[in-house]
Structure formats: C-alpha cells, structure tokens
Amino acid sequence: MNLLKRNGNAGMGFPGLFFDDIFGRELFNWENGNFSTTSTTLPSVNIRESADHFEVEVAAPGMDKNDFSVTLEENTLTISSGKEQNENTQEGYYTRREFSYQSFQRSFELPKNVVDEDQISARYENGLLLLTIPKKEEAKQKPPRLIEIS
C-alpha cells in the first residue's frame, strides 16, 4: 500500500491513472505542487513504509514546530505552513536574501481502511517534520504461515 500524492490532472488531456502508474505522478503535472507561484521549491517529502506503519519526512530547516499545521480529513492528510518572513531585523537589513519561507501545502491520500487515524503522531527535529502513521492491526503484513499437509 502506498501513500499517494493528491494530484489534479484536470485539463491535461492525459488519462491520469495510466500515466501516473507508469511514469510517476510528477512527470506530466506541469502545474505540479512542488513549485510555488514565486518559483521557489516547496519542502521535499520522503515516505517510507514498514510492516507496521508509514513514516513521512518533510524537509523544512529553519522552521519551528508551531509553523506547521497537520490535518486529516477523511483519508486526505494535509501538511501546511504559513511561516512569515521578516524583512528587517533590529541589527539592520538584508543585502542578500536566499532563505525562502513561504506558505505551502502538501496533501497525501492515505490508503482506505489501512491506517489507524487516531494514532497518527508528528514531531519536528533537526529540520525535519516527522509523521508516524500506524497501520491497523488487520492491515499489517503477517508472516507466512506454514500449512501442514495431512
């Protein structure tokens, strides 16, 4: 089971599922959610699946845990941030500014009837927002069972 990035293929003229499955969701999405209107990239995301849970890692250095909002509506997990960027400081003004803190939103579709929604947890450490999404007991992989032949 994979966590799927929610992606609108409307108006693109391609049958979305066919190309998504073969080429990956980002390839034909020219309005893709990894870039903002200011041409800066949004935080990158890693998703790892184990037998017991999914782990989502969002690369967001320089932010604070209070800058994030994580919501779950039906089976859509949404991670967003609205960090404001201060233009001036008490020590002076910037002559060059390459750090970009802007609002963003990333949404992922959770597999139906697989995750334990009540046990999802999140923490922020060392520049990463880390979410742990446990699987329901019945969805966990079971070891192979040896069937005795009589």
Side-chain angles (χ1 to χ4, degrees), residues 70-78 108 110 115 117-118 120:
V70 181
T71 59
L72 181 65
E73 185 175 343
E74 295 185 22
N75 65 323
T76 301
L77 180 74
T78 301
F108 302 90
L110 301 177
V115 300
E117 297 173 354
D118 295 331
I120 296 174

Side-chain angles (χ1 to χ4, degrees), residues 21-36:
D21 289 342
I22 294 176
F23 297 110
R25 294 187 165 273
E26 299 295 319
L27 186 60
F28 288 105
N29 184 7
W30 300 114
E31 299 173 24
N32 94 29
N34 285 334
F35 293 91
S36 71

